[in-house]
Amino acid sequence: MRKRSLDALGIGWQPPRRVMLAAGVLAALLVLAGAVAWWTGRGQSTDASAPHTGSSASPKSTSAPVPKPPPGGSKVAGPPPIADPLAFARASAVMLWTFDARTTSRDDQLAGMHTWMTGETAYADWDSVQAQIPDPLLWSRLKDNAQHASATTSEAHFPSAFKQALAENPQAITEAYVYAVTVRGKTQLAWAGGGGGAEDRQITLAVQCRPGRDCRLVAVAPRVAP
């Protein structure tokens, strides 16, 4: 058996090792493979003048345990009922960029984030999503500093490589209905003592929007696709 490939996104996406695919399906998607191989490094803008809230963890080679929902429900807003990949990607970006270390534990944050994930484990790359928040030590420091952030998005679009791949084989999307979307926006940061700042952000997400269903998050790219 060969690994299931989401190269149909046209962005060189590499899934977790556990994911498999029958050779026939892989052959059907092969025409969409081989676009830009940028899925190898993180392309996220940072602001050195403010305490950094981006991930300090790297995606692991094996799947991490799924966090349990916190008692009384998560403090992270759940996924909205959206069936449009661009709109859902924007909502997902806001969710990923928003946090409040004053009131939310790291485990609670992860549990809330997980509710946005697709239930189709053959496609879900939870490691890439949870890697977007700091490790436990840094999260505790954010809490000590009362750091929190809100976010807005300015635009979302399908990366050029994805559009080109889809144009070459429009039927390939019907295997998984997974779309690559790049989102741009801004976070507003604040911390103890009246400190604060703004940070421009951009991210490329894989979202699944099957016909007749609300969209769900699949993965986060470690590098932004133009």
Side-chain angles (χ1 to χ4, degrees):
M1 297 288 289
R2 301 177 66 182
K3 297 178 184 178
R4 182 187 296 270
S5 174
L6 289 188
D7 281 344
L9 295 183
I11 52 178
W13 188 88
Q14 294 298 322
R17 291 181 179 177
R18 69 181 185 279
V19 179
M20 299 294 187
L21 174 67
V25 175
L26 183 60
L29 299 179
L30 191 58
V31 69
L32 298 187
V36 289
W38 49 260
W39 196 287
T40 55
R42 188 172 300 277
Q44 191 175 59
S45 60
T46 59
D47 183 350
S49 63
H52 182 47
T53 61
S55 169
S56 62
S58 298
K60 301 175 183 178
S61 59
T62 56
S63 179
V66 174
K68 295 181 180 180
S74 172
K75 297 180 177 67
V76 178
I82 295 175
D84 173 71
L86 294 175
F88 185 79
R90 292 182 71 158
S92 297
V94 169
M95 179 273 294
L96 292 171
W97 296 338
T98 300
F99 72 93
D100 192 338
R102 301 170 302 178
T103 60
T104 306
S105 71
R106 184 175 184 273
D107 286 345
D108 285 5
Q109 188 78 14
L110 286 171
M113 290 164 59
H114 195 267
T115 65
W116 290 64
M117 296 294 295
T118 177
E120 298 184 35
T121 56
Y123 298 105
D125 185 1
W126 169 237
D127 289 344
S128 71
V129 175
Q130 71 165 347
Q132 300 306 300
I133 70 169
D135 62 28
L137 178 59
L138 182 53
W139 188 272
S140 68
R141 291 176 178 174
L142 296 180
K143 180 181 174 98
D144 292 342
N145 202 35
Q147 190 165 156
H148 51 286
S150 59
T152 58
T153 61
S154 56
E155 68 93 21
H157 65 271
F158 297 120
S160 57
F162 174 74
K163 291 191 292 184
Q164 179 180 351
L166 193 59
E168 292 174 357
N169 188 350
Q171 293 302 314
I173 195 71
T174 62
E175 163 63 21
Y177 286 97
V178 175
Y179 301 81
V181 182
T182 294
V183 182
R184 294 188 175 92
K186 179 175 290 188
T187 57
Q188 294 288 336
L189 308 171
W191 51 89
E199 182 179 34
D200 291 329
R201 303 294 294 271
Q202 54 184 339
I203 194 171
T204 297
L205 305 173
V207 299
Q208 184 179 50
C209 300
R210 289 195 180 276
R213 302 185 195 175
D214 293 332
C215 297
R216 287 295 182 267
L217 183 60
V218 171
V220 176
R223 186 175 177 182
V224 176

